[in-house]
């Protein structure tokens, strides 16, 4: 096993670890470990919410989640010799759920429950007033599905008739921003928020001192990190929360370096995810471990023109599905009758809604179908963005994930009672 550069006790919150992690991006968050180019090392991770979600049949915990806490990141790890302008070569060697299962006592509600990643994970639809999701106008309330892990496959009591192989990956990892880059993020995102400051859900999340976790920083440094630190929700130039399911074992990612020693952090591990993670908490979320190998390309940002976002080579370990039922969407809002010009977001949203309507014919509720599209290894594609005025997107669902024949035929769909996902009280 590689050396453990960051360890986690799953019975404690990230704030109470012997070496705490962080939940903001800032160049002054101190490195907690140091490695050299060519080293292999392991980061142990909490789930992204710091275990606010439980293995139960209620979505009240999703509805009431405190979104000033995520994401809980392990690190930063300093890479010796890394300088601004370099490319950090990050190889994902292995990752998975928490290796051992132990009962953990969580803060908050007075109950004992295992931490996510200890044999199970979850997918959530966030309430529109607290985070929302890609289809929040159609599904404004909170819902949840809990998934049980069976080696590389998973099932859910909240989505009967479904079993699939996960494609494990980190939803989030990246290097620290420079002071200048951090100021750019905060300025441009503030300008976006100011265009509609009362929007629900909001257009962005500005720095929030409440519940900010600054790693091992203390005193005025920690206070400044809390005031200035960027929220970890979106992807940015340093990588961040990209939610790319092909960041799996065997993937190589070239991350821009903006500060001395790069300061690599990671978290938000996923057992599986569909392209787009459309419910916002759309993957199967878990705590666990991730093993990295790192190297450097000196001056690589200028040498390869990689200045704004990482470049990656997908891993070659993924589910092998050969047949798909695919749904098409175009950039037309069929509810309002509005045509949008080459808008791939509208087109993908319509492809998702078309898939949900189809799955409802087999007995699933709309909420169950929505959760499935976020968590199963579906493939989303931009199929056409030149044929004015309509962009065209497509969504591919593997047919083999169902224990019945989901393909259309002259006989028509057979609707069965497929229960319900976890709902709020």
């Amino acid at each position: 096993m590689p050396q453990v550069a960051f360890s986690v006790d799953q019975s404690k919150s990230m704030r109470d670890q012997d070496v705490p992690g962080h939940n903001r991006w800032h160049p002054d968050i101190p490195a907690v470990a140091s490695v050299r180019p060519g080293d292999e090392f392991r980061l142990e991770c909490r789930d992204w919410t710091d275990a606010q979600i439980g293995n139960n049949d209620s979505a009240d915990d999703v509805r009431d989640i405190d979104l000033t806490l995520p994401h809980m990141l392990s690190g930063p790890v300093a890479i010796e010799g890394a300088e601004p302008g370099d490319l950090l070569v990050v190889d994902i060697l292995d990752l998975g759920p928490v290796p051992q299962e132990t009962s953990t006592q969580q803060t908050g509600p007075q109950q004992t429950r295992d931490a996510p990643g200890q044999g199970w994970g979850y997918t959530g639809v966030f309430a529109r007033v607290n985070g929302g999701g890609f289809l929040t106008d159609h599904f404004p309330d909170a819902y949840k599905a809990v998934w049980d892990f069976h080696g590389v496959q998973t099932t859910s009591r909240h989505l009967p008739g479904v079993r699939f192989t996960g494609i494990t990956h980190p939803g989030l990892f990246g290097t620290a921003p420079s002071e200048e880059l951090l100021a750019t993020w905060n300025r441009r995102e503030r300008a976006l928020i100011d265009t509609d400051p009362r929007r629900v859900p909001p257009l962005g999340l500005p720095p929030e001192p409440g519940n900010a976790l600054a790693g091992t920083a203390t005193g005025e440094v920690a206070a400044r990190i809390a005031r200035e630190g960027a929220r970890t929700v979106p992807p940015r130039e340093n990588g961040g929360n990209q939610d790319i399911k092909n960041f799996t074992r065997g993937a190589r990612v070239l991350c821009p370096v903006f500060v001395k020693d790069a300061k690599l952090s990671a978290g938000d591990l996923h057992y599986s995810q569909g392209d787009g993670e459309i419910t916002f908490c759309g993957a199967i979320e878990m705590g666990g471990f991730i093993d990295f190998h790192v190297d450097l390309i000196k001056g690589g940002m200028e040498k390869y023109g990689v200045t704004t976002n990482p470049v990656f080579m997908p891993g070659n370990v993924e589910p092998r599905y050969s047949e798909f039922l695919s749904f098409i969407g175009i950039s037309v809002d069929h509810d309002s009758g509005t045509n949008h010009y080459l808008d791939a977001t509208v087109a993908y949203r319509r492809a998702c809604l078309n898939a949900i309507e189809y799955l409802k014919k087999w007995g699933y509720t709309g909420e169950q179908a929505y959760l499935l599209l976020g968590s199963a290894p579906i493939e989303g594609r931009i199929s056409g963005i030149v044929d004015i005025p309509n962009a065209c997107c497509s969504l591919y669902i593997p047919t083999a994930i169902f224990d019945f024949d989901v393909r259309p035929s002259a006989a028509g769909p057979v609707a069965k009672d497929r229960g319900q996902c976890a709902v709020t009280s």
Side-chain angles (χ1 to χ4, degrees):
M1 186 182 82
Q3 64 168 316
V4 178
F6 190 95
S7 62
V8 166
D9 180 345
Q10 295 291 343
S11 69
K12 299 178 180 178
S13 74
M14 185 62 93
R15 192 177 299 274
D16 296 329
Q17 301 293 321
D18 292 340
V19 178
H22 63 102
N23 62 359
R24 302 290 190 269
W25 289 118
H26 197 285
D28 293 338
I29 296 174
V32 297
S34 180
V35 300
R36 296 177 178 177
D39 281 354
E40 298 179 0
F41 60 95
R42 172 170 291 187
L43 300 182
E44 297 176 350
C45 303
R46 290 280 275 174
D47 91 293
W48 75 295
T49 72
D50 207 16
Q52 294 186 65
I53 308 300
N55 186 350
N56 53 52
D57 298 323
S58 169
D60 288 359
D61 48 10
V62 175
R63 179 195 63 197
D64 301 332
I65 191 170
D66 186 342
L67 286 177
T68 63
L69 284 168
H71 293 83
M72 289 297 164
L73 301 185
S74 299
V77 175
I79 289 77
E80 295 180 15
E83 300 173 304
D86 294 345
L87 283 177
L88 180 64
V89 182
V90 182
D91 292 315
I92 299 176
L93 304 179
D94 197 10
L95 73 155
V98 179
Q100 73 286 339
E101 293 188 30
T102 56
S103 182
T104 61
Q105 184 71 38
Q106 304 296 333
T107 59
Q110 296 302 308
Q111 60 181 13
T112 300
R113 61 186 185 226
D114 291 339
Q118 292 181 316
W120 65 279
Y122 63 90
T123 303
V125 173
F126 278 25
R128 186 175 187 273
V129 295
N130 189 24
F134 191 53
L135 305 179
T136 194
D137 290 338
H138 298 267
F139 300 95
D141 300 319
Y143 302 94
K144 182 176 72 179
V146 174
W147 300 86
D148 295 310
F149 302 157
H150 314 282
V152 298
Q153 294 193 321
T154 187
T155 60
S156 173
R157 62 185 181 270
H158 297 127
L159 275 162
V162 171
R163 185 185 185 102
F164 56 82
T165 301
I167 178 168
T168 53
H169 61 282
L172 193 164
F173 70 90
T175 53
S178 64
E179 290 185 10
E180 295 78 12
L181 184 57
L182 175 63
T184 297
W185 293 349
N186 287 337
R187 181 176 61 252
R188 74 187 184 200
E189 291 170 25
R190 181 74 262 176
L192 174 62
I193 295 167
D194 287 345
T195 64
D196 190 359
R198 297 184 180 181
R199 186 179 186 272
V200 179
L203 290 171
L205 298 174
E208 169 54 63
N211 283 325
L213 185 57
T216 58
T218 59
E220 175 52 32
V221 175
R224 186 174 70 255
I225 292 169
R227 291 193 305 270
E228 302 172 352
R231 302 293 295 279
T232 59
V233 172
R236 298 188 181 92
E237 288 87 339
N238 68 328
N241 193 28
Q242 298 174 109
D243 289 317
I244 299 172
K245 72 175 190 289
N246 299 99
F247 279 179
T248 188
R249 290 172 291 164
R252 168 169 287 187
V253 188
L254 284 73
C255 295
V257 174
F258 300 104
V259 300
K260 183 180 182 298
D261 296 332
K263 293 188 174 179
L264 177 69
S265 299
D268 187 27
L269 300 188
H270 296 166
Y271 184 91
S272 179
Q273 181 201 295
D275 282 337
E277 199 185 12
I278 60 173
T279 75
F280 179 40
C281 184
I284 299 178
E285 308 285 351
M286 67 178 188
F289 72 93
I290 182 166
D291 294 342
F292 288 123
H293 170 275
V294 292
D295 211 334
L296 287 173
I297 299 178
K298 301 300 294 182
M301 289 176 67
E302 181 178 357
K303 187 179 297 182
Y304 287 104
V306 181
T307 57
T308 56
N309 295 95
V311 173
F312 83 104
M313 300 170 64
N316 56 7
V317 179
E318 60 184 6
R320 298 298 183 187
Y321 292 111
S322 59
E323 183 182 76
F324 298 85
L325 186 61
S326 303
F327 298 86
I328 294 168
I330 58 175
S331 53
V332 173
D333 184 338
H334 291 281
D335 297 319
S336 65
T338 304
N339 213 130
H340 297 263
Y341 179 75
L342 297 182
D343 192 323
T345 300
V346 173
Y348 194 56
R349 182 178 293 118
R350 178 49 55 182
C352 293
L353 290 169
N354 290 343
I356 288 170
E357 287 303 311
Y358 183 91
L359 293 173
K360 286 166 63 175
K361 298 298 183 180
W362 299 89
Y364 292 110
T365 66
E367 294 77 22
Q368 286 176 307
Y370 187 19
L371 288 161
L372 177 63
L373 297 185
S375 55
I378 67 168
E379 298 181 11
R381 302 180 186 177
I382 296 177
S383 301
I385 50 171
V386 296
D387 298 317
I388 60 173
N390 289 338
C392 179
C393 287
S394 46
L395 181 152
Y396 293 61
I397 303 176
T399 58
I401 70 175
F402 300 97
D403 66 3
F404 57 92
D405 189 352
V406 74
R407 297 173 299 177
S409 69
V414 178
K416 294 179 60 177
D417 182 1
R418 302 190 187 275
Q420 174 60 286
C421 59
V423 300
T424 55
S425 58

